[in-house]
Amino acid sequence: RASGRSINQLVDIGQIEGAFVQGLGLFQLEEVLFKTNGSMVNPTPALYSLPDSHSVPIEWKVSFLESYKTC
């Protein structure tokens, strides 16, 4: 099996929500820009947008599978 039962669902929910926010930032908000010489125009998070409380859902609906069968 690739995974087991959740020991602490609150921790696991936080991990899922955090991963979502990281993915949102990576694919929707962050824009890494390069100069023609290859150096970065915006090398620090202070110079590009990061997800904040206005970027994420107000209400999260995270759930877990009770059981599943593997091949």
Side-chain angles (χ1 to χ4, degrees):
R1 287 172 40 156
S3 63
R5 291 192 182 272
S6 174
I7 295 172
N8 185 331
Q9 285 196 350
L10 289 178
V11 170
D12 296 338
I13 288 171
Q15 291 291 312
I16 293 165
E17 291 172 353
F20 175 88
V21 173
Q22 281 188 314
L24 174 72
L26 176 63
F27 294 109
Q28 296 292 321
L29 300 173
E30 298 175 17
E31 183 180 12
V32 180
L33 302 173
F34 295 93
K35 296 178 184 176
T36 55
N37 67 3
S39 64
M40 291 179 66
V41 173
N42 54 347
T44 67
L47 301 175
Y48 58 84
S49 297
L50 292 172
D52 60 13
S53 62
H54 302 291
S55 306
V56 299
I58 294 172
E59 183 178 337
W60 295 82
K61 294 187 179 188
V62 176
S63 61
F64 298 95
L65 295 174
E66 291 297 321
S67 65
Y68 65 94
K69 295 191 186 262
T70 59
C71 297

